[in-house]
Amino acid sequence: MTSPWSQRRDLSPETSRLLIERAHEELLAGNLGDDRLRDVRALVRESWRRSLDGLVGAEALPPLELDAAAIEEYRRTHPLGGVIEMVRGLLLPGGPDESGVIVAVGDASGRLLWVEGDHRVRTLTGDMGFVEGANWSEAAIGTSAPGTALTLDRSLQIHGAEHFNRLVQPWSCTAAPVHDPETRALLGVIDVTGGIEAATPQAQLLVDATARAIEGELLVSRLRARAESRPARRRTTKPVVATRATLRVLGRDRALLELAGELGETVSELGARHAELLLMLAVHRQGVSAERLAELVYGDPDALVTLRAEMVRLRRALEKVAPALVPVSRPYRMPIELETDAHQVLSLLDRGAHRVALAAYHGDVLPDSTAPGVEEYRDSVRIALREALMAEASLDVLLAFADTAAAADDVEVLTLCLSMLPARSPRRAGLVARIERLQA
């Protein structure tokens, strides 16, 4: 099975590596004004200086701060424990032995809580202390992707010789911080470590997208829990001054409207017709005439009386929860941008994050809706996903797509998967049987 880390490119030519190594030696020798330090990226150079000022050992092992029992207990209560399966699915598809990299998840202090992936790579990196329970903060081990990403609160890559610790210099890594979706407090970090394939632009795109997917999943889980446990309170909550609004329509007939503002977040479940109206206004962001909106929702441009009555009801409903989201007219349009989870999937496809896009695709747009505009948009999202995956996705993503309802009966997708599988793959028989059954 093809690994997402299989695309390699020469990120650190030998001459560049030698320059960085020499600059590192001059730094450790105290020659901070040496011209060769200017050959090092500013981000790395400043991290080296912090490591030096913090008296970090250039060949020291990281402190082991959590034993097995403490790690197990900590995992059960840590917010990232609930999304670890998502991390595995996005960053270690097809099984760890086929990945060629290791994936680590750490807390906000830099302590590694999960380290999984390629057995050979885990064995080698274990010798330098890259193990569960170890502290890989910048203060403990110096410049590294997980520690420096936490220090700077941004995603980044560290290539080979850029590591402060000599023991870590054979490796490259990409890391991104993960934040609480509501408070934006730092929850932890996800990291991919391996050879040069672990620090490519594709690797950073995938790690960044995974971090955002984790934050989105945490928010959705919380909002759903609140909606289920406190429905009465939700009806009496003061209106939210919304600064961000998301309409979740994938795999749902009763859409969820998620609102975030300075006073917090709230979620409201919409009726089918209100979901259709808001979705059409979200799709047609520039605005749409009453006749066109009636055609999109009712299939009849002359159904203006029915449309206006429904828009009055929609406005009244929104005034109770989010006055800033009440649509305006002439033409009908949203006063602030209304994002949808379908738009998010399309954006991920545009950025080449096929695996994350597939994970975010929870089903068709408002699957039971017969509104012409919804049907058209539903088809466009499904087709965009299919075409992008068939044209560019790796084999493991295509196989995952083939197992979804969207592609279960798609002979073309199944045939493409079959053509990409190795001749002796055990999965070939199952695909052949499915294709023959569909063509019978």
Side-chain angles (χ1 to χ4, degrees), residues 369-408:
S369 173
T370 57
V374 175
E375 291 181 331
E376 180 181 355
Y377 187 61
R378 178 194 302 146
D379 291 342
S380 70
V381 174
R382 186 194 301 128
I383 291 170
L385 177 69
R386 180 182 185 273
E387 291 183 349
L389 296 187
M390 291 188 67
E392 302 173 357
S394 60
L395 174 57
D396 56 292
V397 176
L398 268 177
L399 287 169
F401 179 52
D403 289 335
T404 67

Side-chain angles (χ1 to χ4, degrees), residues 98-260:
E98 302 173 1
S99 65
V101 298
I102 53 175
V103 172
V105 177
D107 68 6
S109 300
R111 295 175 295 184
L112 304 183
L113 303 182
W114 289 269
V115 179
E116 302 181 9
D118 189 282
H119 179 72
R120 182 188 65 85
V121 178
R122 284 189 67 184
T123 299
L124 294 172
T125 55
D127 290 339
M128 66 182 186
F130 200 77
V131 295
E132 293 167 351
N135 187 337
W136 272 75
S137 66
E138 196 177 76
I141 200 66
T143 308
S144 72
T148 305
L150 288 171
T151 297
L152 300 181
D153 196 12
R154 53 160 288 191
S155 69
L156 50 83
Q157 298 179 316
I158 300 296
H159 306 276
E162 292 179 331
H163 288 93
F164 182 80
N165 190 306
R166 291 191 183 98
L167 300 178
V168 193
Q169 290 180 351
W171 304 98
S172 294
C173 43
T174 300
V178 179
H179 300 90
D180 186 290
E182 298 177 282
T183 67
R184 303 310 298 167
L186 198 59
L187 294 180
V189 64
I190 54 174
D191 169 85
V192 173
T193 293
I196 59 174
E197 71 274 20
T200 62
Q202 296 92 336
Q204 184 152 23
L205 176 64
L206 185 54
V207 171
D208 286 352
T210 300
R212 303 293 79 76
I214 290 170
E215 293 171 358
E217 181 62 25
L218 290 173
L219 179 59
V220 170
S221 297
R222 291 179 189 177
L223 293 174
R224 285 174 178 166
R226 293 171 190 169
E228 292 171 0
S229 63
R230 295 184 304 214
R233 180 177 177 180
R234 188 173 68 251
R235 288 193 297 269
T236 58
T237 298
K238 293 181 179 179
V240 172
V241 180
T243 57
R244 186 177 72 254
T246 303
L247 186 67
R248 300 202 172 273
V249 294
L250 291 175
R252 304 184 58 89
D253 292 311
R254 297 181 67 83
L256 286 180
L257 179 61
E258 297 171 2
L259 306 166

Side-chain angles (χ1 to χ4, degrees), residues 313-333:
R313 287 189 282 270
L314 174 61
R315 284 169 167 153
R316 287 174 179 169
L318 290 175
E319 283 171 353
K320 297 177 182 179
V321 293
L325 208 63
V326 173
V328 298
S329 56
R330 296 182 182 179
Y332 284 117
R333 64 190 185 280

Side-chain angles (χ1 to χ4, degrees), residues 332-370:
Y332 284 117
R333 64 190 185 280
M334 300 305 299
I336 65 174
E337 183 174 327
L338 176 60
E339 187 70 26
T340 75
D341 50 356
H343 284 106
Q344 292 166 358
V345 167
L346 296 176
S347 176
L348 288 166
L349 291 174
D350 287 341
R351 288 179 281 161
H354 303 116
R355 190 182 316 281
V356 183
L358 181 58
Y361 185 77
H362 299 302
D364 282 340
V365 173
L366 299 178
D368 282 351
S369 173
T370 57

